[in-house]
Amino acid sequence: MRLLVTGGAGFIGANFVHRTVEDRPDVRVTVLDKLTYAGNRASLQPVADRIEFVHGDVADAGLVDRLVADSDLVVHFAAESHNDNSLRDPSPFVHTNVVGTFTLLEAVRRHGVRYHHISTDEVYGDLELDDPAKFTESTPYNPSSPYSSTKAGSDLLVRAWVRSFGVAATLSNCSNNYGPYQHVEKFVPRQITNVLDGVRPRLYGTGRNVRDWIHVDDHNSAVWTIIEKGEIGRTYLIGADGETDNRTVVETVLELCGRDPGEFDFVTDRPGHDLRYAIDSSRLRTELGWEPRYRDLRSGLAATVEWYRSNEDWWRPQKDATERAYARTETIVRP
Ligand code: NAD
Ligand code: TDX
């Protein structure tokens, strides 16, 4: 099988490429990645001699057409992925998430290539903290940020290309991932690397916002399950019952690093900050038989702390610039 992975130098895409190369020697992997600030060739170094890497933009129609013509399957991870950046400058989010997805869809339509679309639970908006409800595949779209609205737009393009043009696509919407190779701008690696640097973690607002954490390897095993067993045109929610508030995550990271769990600061809240995400993944589990392997967030976080401790060469080059960008908008409000 000839597989094209977009965004394979990013966090989830790189982990997907690693697993695919290890578990599926019959698959020939080509990665298309623009190497934005979030893309890192070093994340693919362990498999560099077993894949083809193409440096380019998913919105480059000529390049995308040539690569798709030579593929049997496209898995589309490439995106601008950080909510805070989308509040500073939404423009690259529209370009990559909307125009990039459109460009890929036109190419898979022309060449009759199978397509899997990677998306997020944030397209559904948020839930109240005290609401027992979870997102399901029929929850109405209600995105809050420029990031989530461009992801919602890209999902709707995929659905329309399935219905109107018969494109053979599946979609998945996953909750918050954690694990190795995640950029230090994101919550979990930001706080781990802060603690390793002796800096107090930063919690937005009250710290009570809830995310539904899933290990990146569980996300990627679900993606392969959907590619192999999913029904064309169908959306599958991916989640591992990992609902936890941000304060608990920070306290756990501090404890795992041998620090006092109270050594954190509250900072200015994110504008429009979604309160809670929670995934009902019954469709994926009952129809396709998928189950997560990482069921204990604390031990998953412990392994992640160890990965960042052992791989400072990977994250150090991004750390200072990331913290300088945060410092421009962040103020400690309750020390
Ligand atoms: P990431 O920011 O770590 O990686 C994105 C990758 O895409 C980078 O390698 C970047 O260089 C590349 N890229 C960006 N613009 C590009 C363009 N125009 N052309 C080609 N490549 C480009 O993101 P991630 O966290 O790995 O997320 C991957 C996908 O998973 C995204 O579609 C995201 O919406 C989705 N998702 C992420 C999470 C999460 O918790 N991180 C959860 C659910 C869904
Ligand atoms: O320093 C911080 N302090 C803090 O309290 C940061 C960076 C974040 N937070 C909070 C905001 C969120 O409630 O932690 C939570 C997680 O924040 P992010 O890592 O920025 O993730 P989130 O905004 O929830 O979006 C993530 O999950 C869904 C990914 O970045 C998206 O790509 C994915 O679609």
PDB file of all heavy atoms in Angstrom, residues 114 116 137 170-172 221-232 234-238 281-291:
ATOM      1  N   ARG A 114      -8.531   6.728  -1.561  1.00  0.00           N
ATOM      2  CA  ARG A 114      -9.143   6.647  -0.224  1.00  0.00           C
ATOM      3  C   ARG A 114      -8.531   7.726   0.672  1.00  0.00           C
ATOM      4  O   ARG A 114      -7.303   7.951   0.649  1.00  0.00           O
ATOM      5  CB  ARG A 114      -8.875   5.242   0.328  1.00  0.00           C
ATOM      6  CG  ARG A 114      -9.271   5.006   1.768  1.00  0.00           C
ATOM      7  CD  ARG A 114     -10.732   4.628   1.882  1.00  0.00           C
ATOM      8  NE  ARG A 114     -11.033   4.106   3.200  1.00  0.00           N
ATOM      9  CZ  ARG A 114     -11.269   4.870   4.278  1.00  0.00           C
ATOM     10  NH1 ARG A 114     -11.223   6.198   4.197  1.00  0.00           N
ATOM     11  NH2 ARG A 114     -11.536   4.307   5.433  1.00  0.00           N
ATOM     12  N   HIS A 116      -8.564   9.615   4.698  1.00  0.00           N
ATOM     13  CA  HIS A 116      -9.036   9.698   6.091  1.00  0.00           C
ATOM     14  C   HIS A 116      -8.705  11.075   6.651  1.00  0.00           C
ATOM     15  O   HIS A 116      -7.560  11.535   6.584  1.00  0.00           O
ATOM     16  CB  HIS A 116      -8.440   8.613   6.993  1.00  0.00           C
ATOM     17  CG  HIS A 116      -8.989   8.737   8.383  1.00  0.00           C
ATOM     18  ND1 HIS A 116     -10.284   8.360   8.705  1.00  0.00           N
ATOM     19  CD2 HIS A 116      -8.476   9.288   9.509  1.00  0.00           C
ATOM     20  CE1 HIS A 116     -10.526   8.636   9.966  1.00  0.00           C
ATOM     21  NE2 HIS A 116      -9.446   9.206  10.483  1.00  0.00           N
ATOM     22  N   GLU A 137     -21.497  11.555  17.805  1.00  0.00           N
ATOM     23  CA  GLU A 137     -21.382  11.890  16.385  1.00  0.00           C
ATOM     24  C   GLU A 137     -22.541  12.759  15.923  1.00  0.00           C
ATOM     25  O   GLU A 137     -22.462  13.382  14.861  1.00  0.00           O
ATOM     26  CB  GLU A 137     -21.300  10.628  15.532  1.00  0.00           C
ATOM     27  CG  GLU A 137     -19.965   9.889  15.631  1.00  0.00           C
ATOM     28  CD  GLU A 137     -19.823   8.985  16.841  1.00  0.00           C
ATOM     29  OE1 GLU A 137     -20.781   8.917  17.656  1.00  0.00           O
ATOM     30  OE2 GLU A 137     -18.766   8.346  16.994  1.00  0.00           O
ATOM     31  N   THR A 170     -13.365   8.736   5.307  1.00  0.00           N
ATOM     32  CA  THR A 170     -13.860   8.590   6.671  1.00  0.00           C
ATOM     33  C   THR A 170     -13.320   9.774   7.466  1.00  0.00           C
ATOM     34  O   THR A 170     -12.340  10.417   7.056  1.00  0.00           O
ATOM     35  CB  THR A 170     -13.369   7.268   7.302  1.00  0.00           C
ATOM     36  OG1 THR A 170     -12.002   7.055   6.907  1.00  0.00           O
ATOM     37  CG2 THR A 170     -14.210   6.092   6.848  1.00  0.00           C
ATOM     38  N   LEU A 171     -13.967  10.056   8.603  1.00  0.00           N
ATOM     39  CA  LEU A 171     -13.534  11.171   9.451  1.00  0.00           C
ATOM     40  C   LEU A 171     -13.422  10.695  10.897  1.00  0.00           C
ATOM     41  O   LEU A 171     -14.208   9.838  11.326  1.00  0.00           O
ATOM     42  CB  LEU A 171     -14.548  12.320   9.438  1.00  0.00           C
ATOM     43  CG  LEU A 171     -14.948  12.943   8.114  1.00  0.00           C
ATOM     44  CD1 LEU A 171     -16.155  12.228   7.523  1.00  0.00           C
ATOM     45  CD2 LEU A 171     -15.271  14.430   8.300  1.00  0.00           C
ATOM     46  N   SER A 172     -12.459  11.273  11.634  1.00  0.00           N
ATOM     47  CA  SER A 172     -12.428  11.020  13.073  1.00  0.00           C
ATOM     48  C   SER A 172     -12.216  12.332  13.819  1.00  0.00           C
ATOM     49  O   SER A 172     -11.483  13.215  13.362  1.00  0.00           O
ATOM     50  CB  SER A 172     -11.335  10.007  13.438  1.00  0.00           C
ATOM     51  OG  SER A 172     -10.082  10.398  12.940  1.00  0.00           O
ATOM     52  N   SER A 221      -4.025   4.155  16.963  1.00  0.00           N
ATOM     53  CA  SER A 221      -4.555   2.795  16.739  1.00  0.00           C
ATOM     54  C   SER A 221      -6.015   2.889  16.312  1.00  0.00           C
ATOM     55  O   SER A 221      -6.489   2.109  15.477  1.00  0.00           O
ATOM     56  CB  SER A 221      -4.393   1.919  17.988  1.00  0.00           C
ATOM     57  OG  SER A 221      -5.322   2.269  18.982  1.00  0.00           O
ATOM     58  N   ALA A 222      -6.731   3.886  16.843  1.00  0.00           N
ATOM     59  CA  ALA A 222      -8.126   4.082  16.415  1.00  0.00           C
ATOM     60  C   ALA A 222      -8.188   4.510  14.949  1.00  0.00           C
ATOM     61  O   ALA A 222      -9.062   4.056  14.195  1.00  0.00           O
ATOM     62  CB  ALA A 222      -8.799   5.123  17.309  1.00  0.00           C
ATOM     63  N   VAL A 223      -7.260   5.350  14.543  1.00  0.00           N
ATOM     64  CA  VAL A 223      -7.253   5.799  13.135  1.00  0.00           C
ATOM     65  C   VAL A 223      -7.066   4.600  12.202  1.00  0.00           C
ATOM     66  O   VAL A 223      -7.803   4.447  11.215  1.00  0.00           O
ATOM     67  CB  VAL A 223      -6.151   6.867  12.916  1.00  0.00           C
ATOM     68  CG1 VAL A 223      -5.949   7.139  11.422  1.00  0.00           C
ATOM     69  CG2 VAL A 223      -6.519   8.154  13.651  1.00  0.00           C
ATOM     70  N   TRP A 224      -6.137   3.719  12.531  1.00  0.00           N
ATOM     71  CA  TRP A 224      -5.943   2.532  11.667  1.00  0.00           C
ATOM     72  C   TRP A 224      -7.187   1.639  11.686  1.00  0.00           C
ATOM     73  O   TRP A 224      -7.562   1.058  10.668  1.00  0.00           O
ATOM     74  CB  TRP A 224      -4.696   1.743  12.085  1.00  0.00           C
ATOM     75  CG  TRP A 224      -3.482   2.177  11.300  1.00  0.00           C
ATOM     76  CD1 TRP A 224      -2.354   2.779  11.784  1.00  0.00           C
ATOM     77  CD2 TRP A 224      -3.280   2.047   9.882  1.00  0.00           C
ATOM     78  NE1 TRP A 224      -1.471   3.037  10.753  1.00  0.00           N
ATOM     79  CE2 TRP A 224      -2.008   2.593   9.577  1.00  0.00           C
ATOM     80  CE3 TRP A 224      -4.052   1.534   8.832  1.00  0.00           C
ATOM     81  CZ2 TRP A 224      -1.490   2.640   8.276  1.00  0.00           C
ATOM     82  CZ3 TRP A 224      -3.534   1.581   7.530  1.00  0.00           C
ATOM     83  CH2 TRP A 224      -2.271   2.123   7.270  1.00  0.00           C
ATOM     84  N   THR A 225      -7.845   1.532  12.844  1.00  0.00           N
ATOM     85  CA  THR A 225      -9.071   0.725  12.913  1.00  0.00           C
ATOM     86  C   THR A 225     -10.134   1.303  11.976  1.00  0.00           C
ATOM     87  O   THR A 225     -10.818   0.566  11.252  1.00  0.00           O
ATOM     88  CB  THR A 225      -9.605   0.699  14.368  1.00  0.00           C
ATOM     89  OG1 THR A 225      -8.595   0.148  15.203  1.00  0.00           O
ATOM     90  CG2 THR A 225     -10.877  -0.120  14.483  1.00  0.00           C
ATOM     91  N   ILE A 226     -10.271   2.625  11.961  1.00  0.00           N
ATOM     92  CA  ILE A 226     -11.279   3.269  11.108  1.00  0.00           C
ATOM     93  C   ILE A 226     -10.911   3.102   9.634  1.00  0.00           C
ATOM     94  O   ILE A 226     -11.775   2.819   8.793  1.00  0.00           O
ATOM     95  CB  ILE A 226     -11.429   4.760  11.485  1.00  0.00           C
ATOM     96  CG1 ILE A 226     -11.963   4.883  12.919  1.00  0.00           C
ATOM     97  CG2 ILE A 226     -12.354   5.479  10.497  1.00  0.00           C
ATOM     98  CD1 ILE A 226     -11.774   6.252  13.541  1.00  0.00           C
ATOM     99  N   ILE A 227      -9.632   3.240   9.318  1.00  0.00           N
ATOM    100  CA  ILE A 227      -9.208   3.056   7.918  1.00  0.00           C
ATOM    101  C   ILE A 227      -9.567   1.635   7.459  1.00  0.00           C
ATOM    102  O   ILE A 227     -10.062   1.428   6.354  1.00  0.00           O
ATOM    103  CB  ILE A 227      -7.682   3.305   7.783  1.00  0.00           C
ATOM    104  CG1 ILE A 227      -7.381   4.787   7.985  1.00  0.00           C
ATOM    105  CG2 ILE A 227      -7.170   2.813   6.430  1.00  0.00           C
ATOM    106  CD1 ILE A 227      -5.915   5.096   8.218  1.00  0.00           C
ATOM    107  N   GLU A 228      -9.337   0.664   8.320  1.00  0.00           N
ATOM    108  CA  GLU A 228      -9.523  -0.739   7.906  1.00  0.00           C
ATOM    109  C   GLU A 228     -10.964  -1.210   7.989  1.00  0.00           C
ATOM    110  O   GLU A 228     -11.398  -2.032   7.196  1.00  0.00           O
ATOM    111  CB  GLU A 228      -8.617  -1.640   8.742  1.00  0.00           C
ATOM    112  CG  GLU A 228      -7.167  -1.410   8.339  1.00  0.00           C
ATOM    113  CD  GLU A 228      -6.171  -2.228   9.146  1.00  0.00           C
ATOM    114  OE1 GLU A 228      -6.468  -2.594  10.290  1.00  0.00           O
ATOM    115  OE2 GLU A 228      -5.077  -2.468   8.619  1.00  0.00           O
ATOM    116  N   LYS A 229     -11.712  -0.699   8.993  1.00  0.00           N
ATOM    117  CA  LYS A 229     -13.060  -1.250   9.204  1.00  0.00           C
ATOM    118  C   LYS A 229     -14.172  -0.219   9.103  1.00  0.00           C
ATOM    119  O   LYS A 229     -15.345  -0.582   9.165  1.00  0.00           O
ATOM    120  CB  LYS A 229     -13.138  -1.872  10.607  1.00  0.00           C
ATOM    121  CG  LYS A 229     -12.166  -2.997  10.861  1.00  0.00           C
ATOM    122  CD  LYS A 229     -12.569  -3.657  12.185  1.00  0.00           C
ATOM    123  CE  LYS A 229     -11.470  -4.440  12.832  1.00  0.00           C
ATOM    124  NZ  LYS A 229     -11.741  -4.689  14.239  1.00  0.00           N
ATOM    125  N   GLY A 230     -13.830   1.068   9.000  1.00  0.00           N
ATOM    126  CA  GLY A 230     -14.857   2.112   9.045  1.00  0.00           C
ATOM    127  C   GLY A 230     -15.706   2.151   7.787  1.00  0.00           C
ATOM    128  O   GLY A 230     -15.290   1.702   6.719  1.00  0.00           O
ATOM    129  N   GLU A 231     -16.891   2.724   7.959  1.00  0.00           N
ATOM    130  CA  GLU A 231     -17.824   2.834   6.827  1.00  0.00           C
ATOM    131  C   GLU A 231     -17.562   4.163   6.120  1.00  0.00           C
ATOM    132  O   GLU A 231     -17.447   5.216   6.781  1.00  0.00           O
ATOM    133  CB  GLU A 231     -19.242   2.811   7.402  1.00  0.00           C
ATOM    134  CG  GLU A 231     -20.338   2.628   6.396  1.00  0.00           C
ATOM    135  CD  GLU A 231     -21.690   2.664   7.106  1.00  0.00           C
ATOM    136  OE1 GLU A 231     -21.886   1.924   8.082  1.00  0.00           O
ATOM    137  OE2 GLU A 231     -22.531   3.481   6.681  1.00  0.00           O
ATOM    138  N   ILE A 232     -17.503   4.144   4.797  1.00  0.00           N
ATOM    139  CA  ILE A 232     -17.227   5.374   4.036  1.00  0.00           C
ATOM    140  C   ILE A 232     -18.318   6.414   4.337  1.00  0.00           C
ATOM    141  O   ILE A 232     -19.505   6.094   4.397  1.00  0.00           O
ATOM    142  CB  ILE A 232     -17.186   5.070   2.519  1.00  0.00           C
ATOM    143  CG1 ILE A 232     -16.024   4.114   2.193  1.00  0.00           C
ATOM    144  CG2 ILE A 232     -17.077   6.359   1.690  1.00  0.00           C
ATOM    145  CD1 ILE A 232     -14.654   4.605   2.604  1.00  0.00           C
ATOM    146  N   ARG A 234     -18.626   7.995   7.115  1.00  0.00           N
ATOM    147  CA  ARG A 234     -18.991   8.027   8.515  1.00  0.00           C
ATOM    148  C   ARG A 234     -17.949   8.771   9.350  1.00  0.00           C
ATOM    149  O   ARG A 234     -16.749   8.759   9.038  1.00  0.00           O
ATOM    150  CB  ARG A 234     -19.109   6.598   9.031  1.00  0.00           C
ATOM    151  CG  ARG A 234     -20.197   6.387  10.064  1.00  0.00           C
ATOM    152  CD  ARG A 234     -20.725   4.969   9.951  1.00  0.00           C
ATOM    153  NE  ARG A 234     -21.446   4.484  11.105  1.00  0.00           N
ATOM    154  CZ  ARG A 234     -22.700   4.807  11.407  1.00  0.00           C
ATOM    155  NH1 ARG A 234     -23.343   5.662  10.667  1.00  0.00           N
ATOM    156  NH2 ARG A 234     -23.296   4.284  12.467  1.00  0.00           N
ATOM    157  N   THR A 235     -18.447   9.396  10.430  1.00  0.00           N
ATOM    158  CA  THR A 235     -17.597  10.059  11.413  1.00  0.00           C
ATOM    159  C   THR A 235     -17.508   9.177  12.655  1.00  0.00           C
ATOM    160  O   THR A 235     -18.516   8.608  13.085  1.00  0.00           O
ATOM    161  CB  THR A 235     -18.220  11.417  11.806  1.00  0.00           C
ATOM    162  OG1 THR A 235     -18.112  12.295  10.685  1.00  0.00           O
ATOM    163  CG2 THR A 235     -17.531  12.040  13.005  1.00  0.00           C
ATOM    164  N   TYR A 236     -16.301   9.064  13.225  1.00  0.00           N
ATOM    165  CA  TYR A 236     -16.101   8.301  14.465  1.00  0.00           C
ATOM    166  C   TYR A 236     -15.442   9.210  15.497  1.00  0.00           C
ATOM    167  O   TYR A 236     -14.408   9.827  15.206  1.00  0.00           O
ATOM    168  CB  TYR A 236     -15.208   7.082  14.204  1.00  0.00           C
ATOM    169  CG  TYR A 236     -15.830   6.100  13.240  1.00  0.00           C
ATOM    170  CD1 TYR A 236     -15.648   6.243  11.865  1.00  0.00           C
ATOM    171  CD2 TYR A 236     -16.631   5.052  13.693  1.00  0.00           C
ATOM    172  CE1 TYR A 236     -16.238   5.365  10.966  1.00  0.00           C
ATOM    173  CE2 TYR A 236     -17.223   4.169  12.808  1.00  0.00           C
ATOM    174  CZ  TYR A 236     -17.029   4.330  11.439  1.00  0.00           C
ATOM    175  OH  TYR A 236     -17.622   3.458  10.549  1.00  0.00           O
ATOM    176  N   LEU A 237     -16.020   9.270  16.686  1.00  0.00           N
ATOM    177  CA  LEU A 237     -15.386  10.007  17.779  1.00  0.00           C
ATOM    178  C   LEU A 237     -14.381   9.093  18.470  1.00  0.00           C
ATOM    179  O   LEU A 237     -14.676   7.921  18.732  1.00  0.00           O
ATOM    180  CB  LEU A 237     -16.416  10.467  18.801  1.00  0.00           C
ATOM    181  CG  LEU A 237     -17.405  11.544  18.356  1.00  0.00           C
ATOM    182  CD1 LEU A 237     -18.137  12.131  19.557  1.00  0.00           C
ATOM    183  CD2 LEU A 237     -16.703  12.659  17.622  1.00  0.00           C
ATOM    184  N   ILE A 238     -13.202   9.650  18.760  1.00  0.00           N
ATOM    185  CA  ILE A 238     -12.144   8.874  19.428  1.00  0.00           C
ATOM    186  C   ILE A 238     -11.884   9.479  20.803  1.00  0.00           C
ATOM    187  O   ILE A 238     -11.548  10.659  20.917  1.00  0.00           O
ATOM    188  CB  ILE A 238     -10.830   8.895  18.610  1.00  0.00           C
ATOM    189  CG1 ILE A 238     -11.069   8.418  17.171  1.00  0.00           C
ATOM    190  CG2 ILE A 238      -9.763   8.043  19.293  1.00  0.00           C
ATOM    191  CD1 ILE A 238      -9.835   8.548  16.269  1.00  0.00           C
ATOM    192  N   SER A 281     -17.319   7.458  22.898  1.00  0.00           N
ATOM    193  CA  SER A 281     -16.728   6.744  21.746  1.00  0.00           C
ATOM    194  C   SER A 281     -17.398   5.390  21.514  1.00  0.00           C
ATOM    195  O   SER A 281     -16.780   4.471  20.965  1.00  0.00           O
ATOM    196  CB  SER A 281     -15.218   6.576  21.938  1.00  0.00           C
ATOM    197  OG  SER A 281     -14.956   5.868  23.128  1.00  0.00           O
ATOM    198  N   SER A 282     -18.676   5.258  21.917  1.00  0.00           N
ATOM    199  CA  SER A 282     -19.346   3.948  21.775  1.00  0.00           C
ATOM    200  C   SER A 282     -19.394   3.453  20.335  1.00  0.00           C
ATOM    201  O   SER A 282     -19.286   2.257  20.103  1.00  0.00           O
ATOM    202  CB  SER A 282     -20.796   3.975  22.250  1.00  0.00           C
ATOM    203  OG  SER A 282     -21.007   4.818  23.261  1.00  0.00           O
ATOM    204  N   ARG A 283     -19.601   4.363  19.375  1.00  0.00           N
ATOM    205  CA  ARG A 283     -19.694   3.889  17.978  1.00  0.00           C
ATOM    206  C   ARG A 283     -18.407   3.160  17.580  1.00  0.00           C
ATOM    207  O   ARG A 283     -18.445   2.066  17.020  1.00  0.00           O
ATOM    208  CB  ARG A 283     -19.951   5.063  17.030  1.00  0.00           C
ATOM    209  CG  ARG A 283     -19.863   4.663  15.572  1.00  0.00           C
ATOM    210  CD  ARG A 283     -20.124   5.810  14.616  1.00  0.00           C
ATOM    211  NE  ARG A 283     -21.522   6.159  14.547  1.00  0.00           N
ATOM    212  CZ  ARG A 283     -22.019   7.166  13.809  1.00  0.00           C
ATOM    213  NH1 ARG A 283     -21.190   7.894  13.076  1.00  0.00           N
ATOM    214  NH2 ARG A 283     -23.307   7.433  13.810  1.00  0.00           N
ATOM    215  N   LEU A 284     -17.276   3.787  17.872  1.00  0.00           N
ATOM    216  CA  LEU A 284     -15.981   3.203  17.521  1.00  0.00           C
ATOM    217  C   LEU A 284     -15.773   1.866  18.240  1.00  0.00           C
ATOM    218  O   LEU A 284     -15.251   0.906  17.668  1.00  0.00           O
ATOM    219  CB  LEU A 284     -14.896   4.202  17.921  1.00  0.00           C
ATOM    220  CG  LEU A 284     -13.446   3.822  17.724  1.00  0.00           C
ATOM    221  CD1 LEU A 284     -13.132   3.601  16.254  1.00  0.00           C
ATOM    222  CD2 LEU A 284     -12.547   4.932  18.281  1.00  0.00           C
ATOM    223  N   ARG A 285     -16.211   1.808  19.490  1.00  0.00           N
ATOM    224  CA  ARG A 285     -15.968   0.592  20.283  1.00  0.00           C
ATOM    225  C   ARG A 285     -16.925  -0.523  19.885  1.00  0.00           C
ATOM    226  O   ARG A 285     -16.522  -1.672  19.721  1.00  0.00           O
ATOM    227  CB  ARG A 285     -16.108   0.907  21.776  1.00  0.00           C
ATOM    228  CG  ARG A 285     -15.021   1.879  22.240  1.00  0.00           C
ATOM    229  CD  ARG A 285     -15.155   2.186  23.719  1.00  0.00           C
ATOM    230  NE  ARG A 285     -14.371   3.346  24.098  1.00  0.00           N
ATOM    231  CZ  ARG A 285     -13.643   3.426  25.190  1.00  0.00           C
ATOM    232  NH1 ARG A 285     -13.584   2.423  26.039  1.00  0.00           N
ATOM    233  NH2 ARG A 285     -12.975   4.521  25.468  1.00  0.00           N
ATOM    234  N   THR A 286     -18.218  -0.198  19.720  1.00  0.00           N
ATOM    235  CA  THR A 286     -19.182  -1.289  19.459  1.00  0.00           C
ATOM    236  C   THR A 286     -19.182  -1.692  17.983  1.00  0.00           C
ATOM    237  O   THR A 286     -19.204  -2.878  17.685  1.00  0.00           O
ATOM    238  CB  THR A 286     -20.605  -0.895  19.900  1.00  0.00           C
ATOM    239  OG1 THR A 286     -20.957   0.304  19.247  1.00  0.00           O
ATOM    240  CG2 THR A 286     -20.702  -0.706  21.385  1.00  0.00           C
ATOM    241  N   GLU A 287     -19.109  -0.716  17.071  1.00  0.00           N
ATOM    242  CA  GLU A 287     -19.176  -1.081  15.647  1.00  0.00           C
ATOM    243  C   GLU A 287     -17.843  -1.599  15.124  1.00  0.00           C
ATOM    244  O   GLU A 287     -17.805  -2.478  14.275  1.00  0.00           O
ATOM    245  CB  GLU A 287     -19.620   0.119  14.793  1.00  0.00           C
ATOM    246  CG  GLU A 287     -21.063   0.509  15.043  1.00  0.00           C
ATOM    247  CD  GLU A 287     -21.522   1.654  14.149  1.00  0.00           C
ATOM    248  OE1 GLU A 287     -20.838   1.997  13.165  1.00  0.00           O
ATOM    249  OE2 GLU A 287     -22.589   2.230  14.456  1.00  0.00           O
ATOM    250  N   LEU A 288     -16.729  -1.041  15.615  1.00  0.00           N
ATOM    251  CA  LEU A 288     -15.429  -1.414  15.042  1.00  0.00           C
ATOM    252  C   LEU A 288     -14.542  -2.188  16.016  1.00  0.00           C
ATOM    253  O   LEU A 288     -13.446  -2.631  15.649  1.00  0.00           O
ATOM    254  CB  LEU A 288     -14.688  -0.162  14.549  1.00  0.00           C
ATOM    255  CG  LEU A 288     -15.453   0.758  13.572  1.00  0.00           C
ATOM    256  CD1 LEU A 288     -14.526   1.819  12.999  1.00  0.00           C
ATOM    257  CD2 LEU A 288     -16.099  -0.015  12.434  1.00  0.00           C
ATOM    258  N   GLY A 289     -14.977  -2.335  17.264  1.00  0.00           N
ATOM    259  CA  GLY A 289     -14.249  -3.177  18.217  1.00  0.00           C
ATOM    260  C   GLY A 289     -12.956  -2.586  18.747  1.00  0.00           C
ATOM    261  O   GLY A 289     -12.096  -3.293  19.268  1.00  0.00           O
ATOM    262  N   TRP A 290     -12.799  -1.239  18.656  1.00  0.00           N
ATOM    263  CA  TRP A 290     -11.563  -0.602  19.157  1.00  0.00           C
ATOM    264  C   TRP A 290     -11.623  -0.403  20.671  1.00  0.00           C
ATOM    265  O   TRP A 290     -12.688  -0.122  21.222  1.00  0.00           O
ATOM    266  CB  TRP A 290     -11.375   0.759  18.478  1.00  0.00           C
ATOM    267  CG  TRP A 290     -10.219   1.546  19.031  1.00  0.00           C
ATOM    268  CD1 TRP A 290      -8.911   1.442  18.667  1.00  0.00           C
ATOM    269  CD2 TRP A 290     -10.281   2.562  20.052  1.00  0.00           C
ATOM    270  NE1 TRP A 290      -8.155   2.319  19.396  1.00  0.00           N
ATOM    271  CE2 TRP A 290      -8.973   3.014  20.254  1.00  0.00           C
ATOM    272  CE3 TRP A 290     -11.307   3.113  20.820  1.00  0.00           C
ATOM    273  CZ2 TRP A 290      -8.647   4.006  21.178  1.00  0.00           C
ATOM    274  CZ3 TRP A 290     -11.002   4.102  21.749  1.00  0.00           C
ATOM    275  CH2 TRP A 290      -9.680   4.551  21.920  1.00  0.00           C
ATOM    276  N   GLU A 291     -10.477  -0.564  21.333  1.00  0.00           N
ATOM    277  CA  GLU A 291     -10.353  -0.231  22.762  1.00  0.00           C
ATOM    278  C   GLU A 291      -9.019   0.476  22.981  1.00  0.00           C
ATOM    279  O   GLU A 291      -8.023   0.125  22.338  1.00  0.00           O
ATOM    280  CB  GLU A 291     -10.367  -1.504  23.628  1.00  0.00           C
ATOM    281  CG  GLU A 291     -11.715  -2.201  23.731  1.00  0.00           C
ATOM    282  CD  GLU A 291     -12.768  -1.385  24.479  1.00  0.00           C
ATOM    283  OE1 GLU A 291     -12.395  -0.561  25.338  1.00  0.00           O
ATOM    284  OE2 GLU A 291     -13.962  -1.562  24.167  1.00  0.00           O
TER     285      GLU A 291
END
